[in-house]
Amino acid sequence: MPKIRRFLDICLGTTCSFLLLSMVVILSWQVIIRYVFNDPSTYTEELLRLGLVWLSLLGAAYSAGRGSHMAIDLLRDISRGRFQKLLKMLVPISFIIFSIYVLILGGLHSMQIASKQLTAVLQMPMSSFYAALPVCGVLLILYAILNLIDVLKEPMNTKADSDIDQPLSMGE
């Protein structure tokens, strides 16, 4: 399992880095051509919009896979034993359900609706924007399954003292 996670992390991290670098280059080109040569580019805005959609959704999958997504973990941190394990399992299970119904099924439906529409300048199919939804959904499901396996493998925390007190007691 660590090899699969590492492969996904490297692929997604590289893709997101490449997208971000491409967007910086395109945006720099847009600023230079507009303000230095006084001749605004017509296609850069659509490329940036497409890059932003893909970067946002791939970045969301990447952060969810690494566990760095937003979370309210107060209840999970103060609970112990089976209840804590159930709460830890709730997040990946929720990601799987959300990914199936909203990202994959909704994304495929959106792609189907937008398949006949073209962007104004580049004449690209609008479905290329919506394709990020099912791709991100599949990636989120893969990461959620890996995270769920990690939660099931870890031992139950039955310790009475909180995680916040541990660094204080280690310094004594």
Side-chain angles (χ1 to χ4, degrees):
M1 292 299 158
K3 289 182 181 181
I4 295 171
R5 181 183 300 276
R6 182 162 166 72
F7 175 75
L8 284 173
D9 284 347
I10 289 172
C11 288
L12 264 180
T14 303
T15 303
C16 288
S17 298
F18 176 74
L19 272 171
L20 184 61
L21 178 66
S22 300
M23 290 174 64
V24 168
V25 168
I26 292 169
L27 183 62
S28 299
W29 170 255
Q30 182 179 13
V31 169
I32 291 169
I33 202 80
R34 176 171 293 183
Y35 291 108
V36 174
F37 298 108
N38 201 20
D39 184 25
S41 176
T42 56
Y43 63 89
T44 53
E45 187 177 330
E46 279 185 10
L47 286 174
L48 287 170
R49 190 178 308 125
L50 180 66
L52 183 64
V53 167
W54 277 91
L55 182 64
S56 299
L57 289 169
L58 290 176
Y62 183 72
S63 67
R66 296 183 56 88
S68 59
H69 53 81
M70 286 180 39
I72 301 172
D73 52 7
L74 176 67
L75 186 59
R76 185 193 69 200
D77 288 347
I78 62 173
S79 62
R80 298 287 170 246
R82 287 186 180 169
F83 185 65
Q84 184 183 43
K85 197 163 203 154
L86 283 171
L87 288 175
K88 285 183 178 180
M89 290 171 44
L90 184 64
V91 172
I93 290 171
S94 300
F95 274 145
I96 291 170
I97 293 168
F98 176 80
S99 295
I100 289 171
Y101 289 107
V102 176
L103 295 176
I104 294 176
L105 295 177
L108 289 173
H109 183 67
S110 298
M111 282 178 63
Q112 183 181 14
I113 291 171
S115 65
K116 293 181 175 64
Q117 298 174 355
L118 299 175
T119 60
V121 177
L122 294 176
Q123 296 297 304
M124 291 173 39
M126 285 299 290
S127 58
S128 60
F129 286 83
Y130 292 105
L133 292 169
V135 170
C136 177
V138 169
L139 291 169
L140 267 172
I141 288 173
L142 289 174
Y143 272 124
I145 290 170
L146 292 172
N147 291 343
L148 193 57
I149 290 170
D150 289 345
V151 168
L152 291 172
K153 282 183 178 178
E154 70 185 24
M156 278 194 245
N157 186 5
T158 57
K159 212 175 196 183
D161 54 341
S162 70
D163 295 336
I164 297 172
D165 295 338
Q166 285 179 355
L168 296 175
S169 63
M170 289 174 63
E172 296 173 357

